[in-house]
């Protein structure tokens, strides 16, 4: 897409700090660097969100995630890694070209804060929701 910043990076119109590239996938350092080594892995073919991807393109993208994540871990000495995809604005997607964030983690005090609120399980509601999802 002509107005997509990631498509412009793929085309070489905008510079990036590449860490991996093949015919299907490009990985480069995120300019925000939430933590040192924060990398974006993107398909070279434009897909607005991960939900728009076909199985073949998704397999190319996700086959490279562990390889690139392991390289980041080795290079940075990180103790862990958050692997994330934000789909749609409500979930934090700000660039509408599918991308996976690889955010190395160094301590609980680094600049990435993700928290989940635990709820007491209602197994009947969970079963109903699981059945609804399975039928969809």
């Amino acid at each position: 897409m002509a107005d997509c910043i990631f498509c412009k990076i793929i085309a070489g119109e905008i510079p990036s700090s590449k860490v991996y590239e093949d015919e299907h996938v490009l990985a480069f350092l995120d300019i925000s660097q939430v933590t040192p080594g924060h990398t974006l892995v993107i398909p070279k073919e434009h897909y607005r969100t991960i939900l728009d991807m076909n199985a073949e393109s998704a397999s190319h993208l996700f086959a490279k995630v562990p390889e690139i994540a392991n390289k980041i871990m080795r290079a940075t000495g990180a103790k862990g890694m958050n692997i994330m995809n934000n789909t749609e604005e409500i979930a934090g997607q700000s660039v509408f070209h599918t991308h996976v964030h690889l955010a190395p983690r160094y301590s609980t005090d680094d600049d990435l804060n993700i928290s989940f609120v635990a709820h007491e399980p209602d197994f009947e509601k969970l079963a109903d929701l699981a059945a609804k999802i399975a039928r969809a």
Side-chain angles (χ1 to χ4, degrees), residues 100-114:
V100 176
H101 292 262
L102 305 180
R105 299 305 301 271
Y106 303 95
S107 78
T108 56
D109 296 324
D110 60 24
D111 289 338
L112 181 60
N113 182 12
I114 299 172

Side-chain angles (χ1 to χ4, degrees), residues 125-136:
K125 284 184 179 179
L126 290 174
D128 290 345
L129 181 57
K132 183 178 179 180
I133 293 169
R135 287 190 307 269

Side-chain angles (χ1 to χ4, degrees), residues 48-49 51 85-94 96:
R48 185 178 183 279
T49 75
L51 303 178
N85 169 262
N86 304 324
T87 299
E88 296 296 352
E89 189 173 351
I90 189 72
Q93 186 176 7
S94 59
F96 290 90

Side-chain angles (χ1 to χ4, degrees), residues 41-58:
V41 185
I42 67 172
K44 286 189 169 179
E45 188 173 346
H46 182 89
Y47 294 95
R48 185 178 183 279
T49 75
I50 198 168
L51 303 178
D52 300 322
M53 294 185 79
N54 60 47
E56 182 179 1
S57 293

Side-chain angles (χ1 to χ4, degrees), residues 15-121:
S16 67
S17 298
K18 294 178 186 179
V19 299
Y20 178 84
E21 184 173 18
D22 67 22
E23 65 181 296
H24 302 288
V25 173
L26 175 64
F28 53 93
L29 295 177
D30 189 309
I31 60 172
S32 73
Q33 289 297 287
V34 171
T35 60
H38 178 188
T39 299
L40 301 178
V41 185
I42 67 172
K44 286 189 169 179
E45 188 173 346
H46 182 89
Y47 294 95
R48 185 178 183 279
T49 75
I50 198 168
L51 303 178
D52 300 322
M53 294 185 79
N54 60 47
E56 182 179 1
S57 293
S59 70
H60 290 302
L61 177 67
F62 284 99
K64 293 302 174 183
V65 167
E67 177 185 336
I68 297 164
N70 277 303
K71 287 181 177 191
I72 295 166
M73 294 281 291
R74 284 192 302 272
T76 64
K79 296 177 183 175
M81 174 83 59
N82 283 100
I83 300 173
M84 303 166 287
N85 169 262
N86 304 324
T87 299
E88 296 296 352
E89 189 173 351
I90 189 72
Q93 186 176 7
S94 59
V95 176
F96 290 90
H97 181 121
T98 297
H99 56 287
V100 176
H101 292 262
L102 305 180
R105 299 305 301 271
Y106 303 95
S107 78
T108 56
D109 296 324
D110 60 24
D111 289 338
L112 181 60
N113 182 12
I114 299 172
S115 62
F116 296 93
V117 177
H119 298 278
E120 193 64 34

